[in-house]
Amino acid sequence: MKSVQGFQLSLISVSLLLALTACGGQQGDAEKDSAAATEHQQQEEVKEHRTLADQAISDDKSADMSISVPSGIYGAGKQASERMIKMKSLSRHHVMGQMSAPGVSAFSQASNRNNFARRTANGIMVVGEIPVSTFSIDTDTGSYTTLRRWINQGRLPEKGTVRVEEMINYFNYQYSTPSTVEQPFSVNTELAPSPYNEHKMLLRIGLKGYEVDKSQLGASNLVFLLDVSGSMNSRDKLPLLKTSLKMLSQQLSEQDHVSIVVYAGASGVVLDGVKGNDTQAINQALNSLKAGGSTNGGAGIQQAYRLAQKHFIQGGVNRVILATDGDFNVGTTDHQALMDLIAAKRDQGIALTTLGFGQGNYNDHLMEQLADKGNGHYAYIDTLNEARKVLVDELSSTLLTIAKDVKIQVEFNPAIVAEYRLIGYENRALNREDFNNDKVDAGEIGAGHRVTALYEISYVDSPNQANDKLRYGYDNATGMEKYSRDEIAFLKLRYKPIGEDTSRLISYAIRRDSGVKTLAQASDDYRFSAAVAGLGQLINQSLYTHDLSYSKVIDLANSAMGQDAFGYRHEFVQLAKTARLLAGQEAVVEGENMSRVIHPIKPMPKPKVEVQPKYIAPHIISPEY
């Protein structure tokens, strides 16, 4: 790295020298000789650093940048441009590119290679036109932890890249537990005034799966599919990954099986079905891993599924756990082919969980898609504490699925509700007819998982409605009798029990009198989930939160700490405070994929030409002067 810095300094020195020699046409002979000697010395220094720079700088084709020198700035612009191009030919790809963009750090440029999908927020629906809302549940949490990392690094994510439902579902809420094993999750609703807009209500729907102790998980067949490519050679990547999996392996027993497959330039088997309590073999295998090579993820997935099939446990947990920092860029790059493979193995009883590490080449969008197709859970591991949360504290929900293809459908009563807006779940939307179609895939819920959905609604008598009332169609005067005066909505859920292909139906009426009159009367869990969703909407720059601010989010969360044994809610408040400061910085601008801080470049001032006053002899008196 030192050699690269030295190389950059040498290029800067030569560039300045070329510009000066191009401008200074009035140098004396001695000055020209001195400049020529200096130029020759600097070029020799460039040659000395060239070999070291070739070794230190990666061959990233995407980082190739060209440089141009505008004509007219210098008197000899053409000559300077030719010399600059000649010097660029002596350098590697992006060294000169960095010189051409002062104020942008190399880390900011690297962060733009991350892939975070941008989504448009759900709009306001008119109940008289579209009374039914249908979507699949989501238990992923990766979007919250990636947001936490960006904020801790002093940046905000780009507009529309935060999945609000994953922020909400990161936290635990005190929902009632299922009353019977026949129904694997409970249904909880709560209604109170909305903190986002005046004269609106906020409806919360919460599900909680039944709890299973880690000792009752049964036999597990786990295949760790680990990325050991060169980009994983960072303290927050491969070393953190190793420690995380060691913590997970400490929870396993003799009845479990562990296999390890690594992939870089090629895939390979490190462990082949050792017993879960053989910690020595597992730790030795993890300690032997070193980062190097490019990423051949497609071949690794195929090898991992072969091992999962080889050690398949009938009636047990069969799961591939993919841990990586980036994309698949060598070998099988057809993402649709990977999706089809994962879906086929899912139908054979082998699930896929994805764990993300690090940044710089991180594909959040792909990691979420792979987990969804694999009936698994997507989490992003940014700290050792997060690894403990996902792989130790919540191991049962991470590994054991208790219900498949869980769908939610809400029918709003147009006699009471005029409009509604589903907060989050943009990429989980389903067609109305998909609710009854058992062939349509949906999300899974794990043991102890909590799923929360929020609807902001407007009553028919609310003065704050986004749409004008219809002139034609529903007649309030004559059609009221066919609607209930007590129910604001009718909630339906479908799910498939494990081992069954036919879904079961749960119905639940939501009554208007279940709501409270003020937000302060709502439960701590309700208010805190509303605060979390509020922060996500602010960061996504939502158009539908007129009465919301960062300060209001902070105050709302502070008033609803409730039970916070691990401090996750207190941490959220600190993140919200930092986000408020970052949002107030005018220097935060929209980047290619994520926001970055760019200091404005002041234009080069034009050289001031001092005009000497014309000397007039005192004895000359002339009308001309």
Side-chain angles (χ1 to χ4, degrees):
M1 187 63 189
K2 290 182 179 179
S3 61
V4 176
Q5 294 175 349
F7 179 58
Q8 292 175 327
L9 291 174
S10 300
L11 291 177
I12 294 173
S13 302
V14 174
S15 302
L16 293 174
L17 181 61
L18 291 173
L20 291 174
T21 54
C23 296
Q26 302 298 325
Q27 291 182 346
D29 292 338
E31 293 178 346
K32 291 182 179 179
D33 293 340
S34 176
T38 304
E39 180 179 354
H40 177 74
Q41 180 182 358
Q42 297 292 345
Q43 290 178 347
E44 289 297 320
E45 186 177 352
V46 168
K47 293 179 180 178
E48 292 177 2
H49 285 294
R50 181 179 177 183
T51 302
L52 294 175
D54 286 346
Q55 298 173 358
I57 303 175
S58 64
D59 292 328
D60 187 356
K61 295 182 179 180
S62 64
D64 189 13
M65 296 184 180
S66 60
I67 186 167
S68 60
V69 178
S71 59
I73 295 180
Y74 303 112
K78 182 177 180 181
Q79 180 182 7
S81 176
E82 291 175 350
R83 296 191 184 185
M84 290 288 285
I85 294 174
K86 182 178 179 181
M87 290 305 303
K88 180 179 181 296
S89 66
L90 298 176
S91 69
R92 296 294 292 170
H93 292 130
H94 61 294
V95 173
M96 294 298 289
Q98 291 176 348
M99 291 174 60
S100 64
V104 182
S105 66
F107 187 86
S108 297
Q109 294 180 358
S111 69
N112 288 336
R113 294 196 298 271
N114 295 314
N115 183 8
F116 288 78
R118 185 193 292 238
R119 303 187 185 279
T120 302
N122 295 319
I124 299 175
M125 301 291 106
V126 178
V127 177
E129 300 172 356
I130 307 176
V132 179
S133 171
T134 309
F135 64 97
S136 164
I137 69 161
D138 183 10
T139 60
D140 296 340
T141 59
S143 195
Y144 177 76
T145 43
T146 54
L147 166 67
R148 179 173 65 195
R149 177 158 189 163
W150 285 114
I151 291 178
N152 286 334
Q153 291 175 344
R155 282 166 290 176
L156 291 179
E158 189 180 292
K159 172 184 176 182
T161 59
V162 171
R163 294 181 292 276
V164 180
E165 70 276 8
E166 295 186 18
M167 294 183 60
I168 301 172
N169 292 329
Y170 179 86
F171 298 92
N172 291 332
Y173 306 106
Q174 302 304 312
Y175 295 144
S176 61
T177 56
S179 58
T180 174
V181 180
E182 292 298 322
Q183 181 178 311
F185 51 84
S186 63
V187 181
N188 306 264
T189 62
E190 193 169 359
L191 182 65
S194 171
Y196 313 139
N197 296 284
E198 191 178 6
H199 303 301
K200 290 182 182 289
M201 302 292 287
L202 192 66
L203 170 65
R204 185 184 68 162
I205 300 172
L207 312 180
K208 181 183 179 182
Y210 65 80
E211 300 279 358
V212 176
D213 189 79
K214 290 182 288 186
S215 61
Q216 300 176 344
L217 282 177
S220 298
N221 168 33
L222 304 180
V223 180
F224 300 150
L225 176 57
L226 311 181
D227 182 358
V228 293
S229 59
S231 62
M232 290 289 289
N233 190 20
S234 176
R235 185 169 57 181
D236 61 343
K237 295 181 181 180
L238 187 57
L240 179 58
L241 186 158
K242 292 180 183 181
T243 307
S244 302
L245 294 183
K246 287 178 183 178
M247 292 193 302
L248 170 59
S249 64
Q250 292 174 2
Q251 317 303 310
L252 304 179
S253 63
E254 185 179 3
Q255 64 179 343
D256 304 318
H257 291 87
V258 174
S259 302
I260 297 180
V261 176
V262 297
Y263 65 93
S267 61
V269 177
V270 179
L271 281 184
D272 189 348
V274 302
K275 293 185 180 298
N277 63 346
D278 192 353
T279 55
Q280 182 178 1
I282 297 173
N283 290 344
Q284 286 180 350
L286 292 172
N287 291 334
S288 67
L289 301 181
K290 296 182 180 180
S294 54
T295 308
N296 188 356
I301 282 184
Q302 295 173 359
Q303 181 66 55
Y305 275 121
R306 282 194 288 268
L307 282 182
Q309 195 68 54
K310 176 182 177 181
H311 302 288
F312 189 86
I313 300 176
Q314 193 67 36
V317 175
N318 297 276
R319 188 173 296 270
V320 174
I321 299 178
L322 168 64
T324 179
D325 75 325
D327 206 349
F328 305 110
N329 51 30
V330 175
T332 303
T333 56
D334 187 350
H335 290 172
Q336 187 56 51
L338 291 175
M339 300 294 179
D340 295 340
L341 171 66
I342 293 169
K345 296 300 181 181
R346 171 198 69 199
D347 295 337
Q348 298 174 15
I350 303 175
L352 175 70
T353 292
T354 57
L355 303 177
F357 292 83
Q359 288 185 1
N361 188 38
Y362 188 66
N363 196 333
D364 170 84
H365 179 55
L366 179 63
M367 295 289 281
E368 185 214 12
Q369 284 186 317
L370 294 178
D372 293 346
K373 281 293 182 182
N375 281 3
H377 176 71
Y378 161 50
Y380 179 80
I381 309 298
D382 58 337
T383 63
L384 197 58
N385 285 338
E386 185 64 23
R388 190 207 68 241
K389 177 179 184 291
V390 175
L391 302 177
V392 178
D393 300 338
E394 301 175 357
L395 180 63
S396 297
S397 55
T398 300
L399 297 184
L400 182 61
T401 301
I402 61 173
K404 303 183 301 179
D405 296 338
V406 182
K407 307 169 187 175
I408 296 179
Q409 187 171 83
V410 181
E411 178 187 356
F412 289 97
N413 183 356
I416 298 179
V417 181
E419 299 170 336
Y420 68 89
R421 176 174 67 94
L422 175 61
I423 300 174
Y425 295 94
E426 287 83 5
N427 63 336
R428 303 290 181 141
L430 297 175
N431 296 323
R432 180 176 174 180
E433 64 271 17
D434 293 341
F435 183 75
N436 294 320
N437 188 348
D438 288 346
K439 292 185 177 180
V440 175
D441 183 52
E444 279 63 43
I445 186 170
H449 259 153
R450 296 164 179 84
V451 181
T452 302
L454 297 175
Y455 282 96
E456 188 177 46
I457 62 177
S458 297
Y459 290 151
V460 292
D461 55 356
S462 171
N464 187 4
Q465 296 184 25
N467 299 278
D468 296 332
K469 293 184 179 180
L470 296 177
R471 179 180 178 87
Y472 305 103
Y474 176 72
D475 187 352
N476 289 328
T478 61
M480 292 285 286
E481 60 274 7
K482 74 175 186 175
Y483 300 106
S484 168
R485 301 298 192 279
D486 302 320
E487 300 174 2
I488 68 168
F490 192 66
L491 170 65
K492 296 189 294 184
L493 302 101
R494 281 196 176 275
Y495 71 97
K496 294 177 184 176
I498 300 302
E500 298 183 19
D501 295 326
T502 302
S503 64
R504 299 183 184 180
L505 176 66
I506 302 174
S507 300
Y508 189 87
I510 303 175
R511 297 178 57 87
R512 182 173 186 171
D513 57 13
S514 66
V516 295
K517 295 183 179 180
T518 65
L519 182 60
Q521 293 176 299
S523 66
D524 289 342
D525 286 344
Y526 178 97
R527 299 199 309 278
F528 189 81
S529 62
V532 175
L535 177 63
Q537 292 174 89
L538 287 175
I539 291 178
N540 279 340
Q541 302 177 35
S542 171
L543 303 176
Y544 307 110
T545 53
H546 302 291
D547 297 333
L548 188 66
S549 65
Y550 283 95
S551 297
K552 191 170 184 178
V553 165
I554 295 168
D555 293 340
L556 187 59
N558 270 324
S559 71
M561 287 300 178
Q563 297 183 17
D564 190 24
F566 295 100
Y568 299 134
R569 296 193 180 193
H570 286 80
E571 180 191 49
F572 170 81
V573 172
Q574 300 307 314
L575 291 176
K577 290 180 178 179
T578 306
R580 176 176 60 183
L581 296 175
L582 295 175
Q585 294 178 0
E586 295 181 356
V588 177
V589 298
E590 201 170 277
E592 180 181 350
N593 261 306
M594 300 296 290
S595 297
R596 60 183 181 178
V597 178
I598 300 181
H599 301 286
I601 303 174
K602 296 181 180 180
M604 180 181 295
K606 294 182 179 180
K608 295 182 180 180
V609 180
E610 185 178 355
V611 179
Q612 298 291 337
K614 188 172 182 180
Y615 175 77
I616 302 176
H619 63 282
I620 298 178
I621 301 176
S622 170
E624 182 182 354
Y625 299 103

